[in-house]
Amino acid sequence: MGWGNIYRRRMSVFSMAILIYLDYKAVQQREKWIKKSKISALWQRAHERNAKRVLNLIIKLEGLWVKLGQYLSTRADVLPEPYISLLKQLQDSLPPRPVQEVSQTIEREFGESMGGMFMDFVETPLATASIAQVHRATLVDGRQVVVKVQHQGIKTIILEDLKNAKSIVDWIAWAEPQYDFNPIIDEWCKEAPKELDFNSEAENTRIVSANLGCKNKHEDSNKKPAYEVDVLIPEVIQSSETVLILEFMDGIRLNDCESLEAFGVNKQKVVEEITRAYAHQIYVDGFFNGDPHPGNFLVSKDPPHRPILLDFGLTKKLSSSMKQALAKMFFAAAEGDHVALLSAFAEMGLRLRLDVPEQAMEVSTLFFRTSAPANEAFETVKNLSEQRAKNLKVIQEKMKLNQKEVKRFNPVDAFPGDIVIFSRVLNLLRGLSSTMNVRIVYLDIMRPFAEYVLQVGINKEPSVSAEWIYSKPIHSDVEAKLRDFLVELGNDGKILGIQVCAYKDGEVIIDTSAGMLGRYDPRPVQPDSLFPVFSVTKGITAGMLHWLVDNGKLKLEENIANIWPEFKSNGKDLIKVHHVLNHTSGLHNVSVDLSSENPLLICDWDECLNRIALSAPETEPGQEQLYHYLSFGWLCGGIIERASGKKFQEILEEGIIQPLSIDGELYIGIPPGVESRLASLTIDTDDLNKVSGINNRPDLRLPSSFQPDKISQLAAITPAVFNMLNIRRAIIPAANGHCSARALARYYAALADGGVVPPPHSRLSKPPLGSHPHIPKFPSHETSKKQKGTKKELLAALKNKTNNSEHGHKYTKDLEGGSHIRTASGDTYARLINIETSSSNTSTTDSISNTDEPQSSNVRKIFNNPRIHDAFLGVGDYGDLALPNGRFGLGFKRYNTRDGSYIGFGHSGMGGSTGFCDVNNRFAIAVTLNKMSFGATTGRIIHFVCSELNLPVPEDYLRFAEVEHDTPQDLGQPLIN
């Protein structure tokens, strides 16, 4: 192709694009001045003349523009009818190339004459498309075949057209910034050249045929019917770079409505089976055809009229992690799971510039929405337009942008290439169903295939997976033995995902992760995974309150009303700080009123504090110890904020996170950007069934609303509730902490040593503890611009026909910015400017800590009180502040041996997660898990570790020591505190 011809093609494309753009802009202006009754006809005429312009230009230019026309012709769900009716002829009826050219190509490629290869060769092509045309023929051995022959010189045309298309997309993005299709054209530029190699297409055809079992129908008895598809694919006979010979299959084209009706073809069933075939390719095989336009399908004439799949030039290979992420996105959209959706986005490399989970969910549901027949296309377009306008308004308000700025704002920072082809396939399938005038419910048809990839990825028993325990060096002999024990528990079905970390004498001796992040999340648990730990959170919240006391901002004997005036109402003026920590304030059932009125009210921090301030105690303060299972957190939180003059989260960071260097691995209310590291909860139904049959136990000293029968009911619904995004993001200081075991163990290791910060965490743990930004930031528009390659680099890649499908979406694991949402109502807080976020975690000039007291340069402490252990346990000088025989000290569960002597303190959660330290032996351990039980698994693990180290085992865990002790009687006192 000469430069003159290239220039003419380029000018033709740009001239037509500008002409059509100006035409529609003129129509927009004209409709303001004509009667409403004539507006529809005005637009209809505009669509007709512009559709003709597009069709004539495509036929003239051929090449890549035919591909574009074929794609547009399938979008009956969104494009006006004139475009569909005119462009659909591009699917297989372009002007053919001369038969002399076809013969030259065949003879050159195979080195044989036409007569030597074919007994008969039909000169009139069956179909002519953008890259090649297809002829029917008979081989010399009598086999009926079709011969696909590439147009001469098409490679040069395609590459030049890609450059022109890229330029037009750049221009559109400049003129109308909200329509930035660069990610789509970039991926097309990478994938389109692959269609020019017919040897590659031949191999692709063989692979897809084998994957779908097209030659072995119904012979595999082990293959579940739900994943079986019933389609046909022609056999590959011979191929070269520009010629492909395939088995001939006699079929009916999808646009031949008369023949389909004459043969009695069920169009609904055909399109459903095509959709199933693509769901199989995407989710089960991870290898799919990226070009399902109507011209690439036939329907067999013989009953049961199976779909025939053609043309595998443009195929996409997905990694197993991408398959899982796509399946996770499917279920997230189907079930409205915002956490799973944001996690899926992060896993697949799709990055947003702002936190808009609701809008992200709306867009995702569009991927899998039920298709609409062509006659409903107008209503579909209208709904999509209204939804887009609504989403833009949300973005405008959230980002505080004016009308001009919001149009130029693109909320997507990085769009992985795999998703471009995936979304193209779904759009083409949706267009196909609209063209065939059938309605396809994608959520029903694709569900078993998406479920398959997740179920296959989750090896429920470690005996069948060498990678069940996350591979990393072993710290001690005890850890090696513990890993074997965890495998036993895993094989018994007691573990889904788990982390165990332990310190002895200030050093890490165990740091093990094992299993999967969730029932439908087969990714492995890693050291930095974040587990919901329920009431373990109370031990952290109590530590924050003690930290304020240690720094002189608060006194344990102080009346709460002195620092929180609103709290004085309804007879609470005598309740002191130590009553709250000791669970003797009498406000143990306040949370029941909140949850019964509106369960999601617990997300509203300010409203919960108001309810606590207005509540009335049920018992006299200090008289009776009854577990404050939710109210404990709001009571402590209100005290912390009033006493410090700072936000709850700021004290958490200043007092615990930064000094311990555990940034990004301990939260009470997660920030946006960490969703990909979250473990999701499920329930151990065996434990649940055992507890549900137990009568109430007054001896447990639990409030009436938290007896075993109520606990079993609560546990049954807890996974669904606490997996919700707004619950995870809320500040619920008694119940929704999220942390890794190594962060929790480091916290208790510091408490075991009286507040001395342990040496840096083990270098064997990867990624290093504290290496994540504590509050991730969203990428800025300017930053993402710098990361994009230049047009010259893109064109160079085109010439080299880069085929590395993995390149281009190896993004960072977490987002890098943004603000944290404090409440469900959208109130936010900003981190103080003077808080350092560097890895050094240096103190701030606005710190509450007493920096006047000199400290050793080698020793850092979060507590200076030499009797801090007595304060935690409520003994010694603090004995008058806690009930002497109560299960709780001041904020922590007291742990003792069978002879009644105290050995340490800690806190457990409903799901079985636990943090505990033995102060006498300088030992700390943390267990986090996502298969919620009532303590049996955790108890056995702690008993095992303590026994191996010859340490006393707390009585709470002794009852879970042996399997036979896992009885309803033992579960009657669940390990929740």
Side-chain angles (χ1 to χ4, degrees), residues 18-74:
I18 293 172
L19 176 61
I20 293 174
Y21 176 78
L22 293 176
D23 190 352
Y24 279 120
K25 282 293 183 182
V27 172
Q28 286 180 344
Q29 295 301 316
R30 286 184 62 194
E31 73 171 346
K32 298 177 182 178
W33 305 99
I34 65 173
K35 296 180 180 179
K36 288 186 178 181
S37 60
K38 296 183 178 181
I39 290 178
S40 177
L42 176 69
W43 281 100
Q44 178 71 11
R45 290 193 297 273
H47 294 323
E48 288 174 354
R49 65 175 172 268
N50 285 317
K52 289 177 182 178
R53 287 167 176 166
V54 170
L55 176 63
N56 292 335
L57 182 65
I58 287 174
I59 293 175
K60 174 185 173 183
L61 297 180
E62 296 184 343
L64 185 73
W65 302 107
V66 175
K67 281 284 181 189
L68 175 61
Q70 289 172 339
Y71 173 73
L72 294 176
S73 71
T74 67

Side-chain angles (χ1 to χ4, degrees), residues 218 220-229 276 280 284 448-449 451-452 455-456 460:
H218 312 298
D220 187 356
S221 59
N222 295 321
K223 197 170 187 180
K224 294 183 179 181
Y227 314 126
E228 196 174 272
V229 296
R276 285 169 48 80
H280 193 294
V284 178
F449 301 95
E451 196 169 54
Y452 174 87
Q455 289 181 337
V456 166
K460 296 176 181 175

Side-chain angles (χ1 to χ4, degrees), residues 605-672:
W605 173 250
D606 293 327
E607 180 60 23
C608 288
L609 294 187
N610 290 336
R611 297 293 183 95
I612 289 290
L614 296 173
S615 63
E618 296 182 28
T619 60
E620 290 294 322
Q623 297 302 306
E624 189 173 7
Q625 190 175 79
L626 291 166
Y627 185 49
H628 293 38
Y629 60 100
L630 277 179
S631 57
F632 178 91
W634 295 310
L635 286 163
C636 289
I639 295 169
I640 288 168
E641 291 201 340
R642 268 63 175 186
S644 67
K646 292 188 175 183
K647 297 299 184 182
F648 181 89
Q649 301 279 12
E650 295 166 14
I651 297 301
L652 175 61
E653 287 190 48
E654 186 179 342
I656 296 176
I657 303 298
Q658 293 179 3
L660 294 177
S661 301
I662 54 176
D663 300 68
E665 294 195 29
L666 193 153
Y667 297 100
I668 301 178
I670 63 165

Side-chain angles (χ1 to χ4, degrees), residues 21 176 210 329 336 369 419 481 511 513 582 615-616 721 780 854 875:
Y21 176 78
E176 303 285 342
M329 182 177 77
R369 70 185 186 277
I419 304 303
K481 295 177 181 179
D511 190 3
S513 308
N582 194 228
S615 63
V721 173
S780 68
V875 298

Side-chain angles (χ1 to χ4, degrees), residues 579-796:
H579 292 139
V580 170
L581 288 171
N582 194 228
H583 294 266
T584 57
S585 76
L587 299 170
H588 42 278
N589 279 325
V590 173
S591 52
V592 177
D593 296 333
L594 286 172
S595 60
S596 60
E597 178 183 339
N598 176 7
L600 295 183
L601 192 62
I602 62 175
C603 299
D604 191 330
W605 173 250
D606 293 327
E607 180 60 23
C608 288
L609 294 187
N610 290 336
R611 297 293 183 95
I612 289 290
L614 296 173
S615 63
E618 296 182 28
T619 60
E620 290 294 322
Q623 297 302 306
E624 189 173 7
Q625 190 175 79
L626 291 166
Y627 185 49
H628 293 38
Y629 60 100
L630 277 179
S631 57
F632 178 91
W634 295 310
L635 286 163
C636 289
I639 295 169
I640 288 168
E641 291 201 340
R642 268 63 175 186
S644 67
K646 292 188 175 183
K647 297 299 184 182
F648 181 89
Q649 301 279 12
E650 295 166 14
I651 297 301
L652 175 61
E653 287 190 48
E654 186 179 342
I656 296 176
I657 303 298
Q658 293 179 3
L660 294 177
S661 301
I662 54 176
D663 300 68
E665 294 195 29
L666 193 153
Y667 297 100
I668 301 178
I670 63 165
V674 303
E675 291 84 6
S676 65
R677 291 192 286 130
L678 293 178
S680 57
L681 296 165
T682 188
I683 191 75
D684 188 326
T685 53
D686 291 340
D687 267 14
L688 182 65
N689 292 334
K690 291 172 184 174
V691 173
S692 61
I694 299 173
N695 295 323
N696 287 352
R697 294 273 301 277
D699 58 299
L700 296 183
R701 311 307 299 161
L702 297 173
S704 58
S705 59
F706 207 60
Q707 286 291 325
D709 60 335
K710 298 290 195 304
I711 294 173
S712 63
Q713 295 173 21
L714 184 62
I717 64 170
T718 292
V721 173
F722 277 79
N723 281 336
M724 293 169 62
L725 182 64
N726 51 357
I727 294 288
R728 290 190 189 251
R729 288 186 175 182
I731 303 172
I732 312 174
N736 82 327
H738 288 75
C739 64
S740 64
R742 63 182 184 176
L744 185 61
R746 185 169 176 80
Y747 170 66
Y748 275 102
L751 299 191
D753 277 351
V756 175
V757 176
H761 193 77
S762 169
R763 294 182 179 179
L764 300 179
S765 273
K766 302 295 181 184
L769 177 61
S771 60
H772 290 288
H774 193 62
I775 305 296
K777 294 180 180 177
F778 286 89
S780 68
H781 185 62
E782 288 73 19
T783 302
S784 60
K785 277 184 178 179
K786 293 177 183 178
Q787 293 173 344
K788 290 182 180 179
T790 64
K791 188 184 294 186
K792 184 180 290 186
E793 291 170 339
L794 176 64
L795 297 182

Side-chain angles (χ1 to χ4, degrees), residues 851-957:
T851 56
D852 295 329
E853 181 178 333
Q855 294 186 11
S856 166
S857 59
N858 296 323
V859 178
R860 290 194 302 154
K861 301 183 73 174
I862 57 175
F863 293 103
N864 296 311
N865 181 0
R867 294 181 299 280
I868 193 66
H869 289 154
D870 289 350
F872 293 156
L873 287 165
V875 298
D877 292 345
Y878 299 87
D880 293 338
L881 305 182
L883 288 182
N885 297 317
R887 296 166 59 237
F888 289 95
L890 296 179
F892 295 90
K893 172 69 173 65
R894 296 164 168 171
Y895 288 110
N896 56 274
T897 58
R898 279 183 173 165
D899 63 11
S901 59
Y902 293 137
I903 60 174
F905 52 87
H907 221 295
S908 297
M910 176 184 288
S913 295
T914 292
F916 154 73
C917 65
D918 177 340
V919 297
N920 297 325
N921 294 287
R922 298 183 65 207
F923 171 70
I925 188 169
V927 179
T928 57
L929 40 77
N930 58 355
K931 188 170 188 177
M932 295 176 58
S933 69
F934 290 96
T937 300
T938 303
R940 293 173 65 188
I941 289 170
I942 291 179
H943 179 273
F944 179 90
V945 173
C946 290
S947 299
E948 289 293 327
L949 294 171
N950 293 316
L951 299 177
V953 183
E955 188 176 14
D956 288 63
Y957 303 116

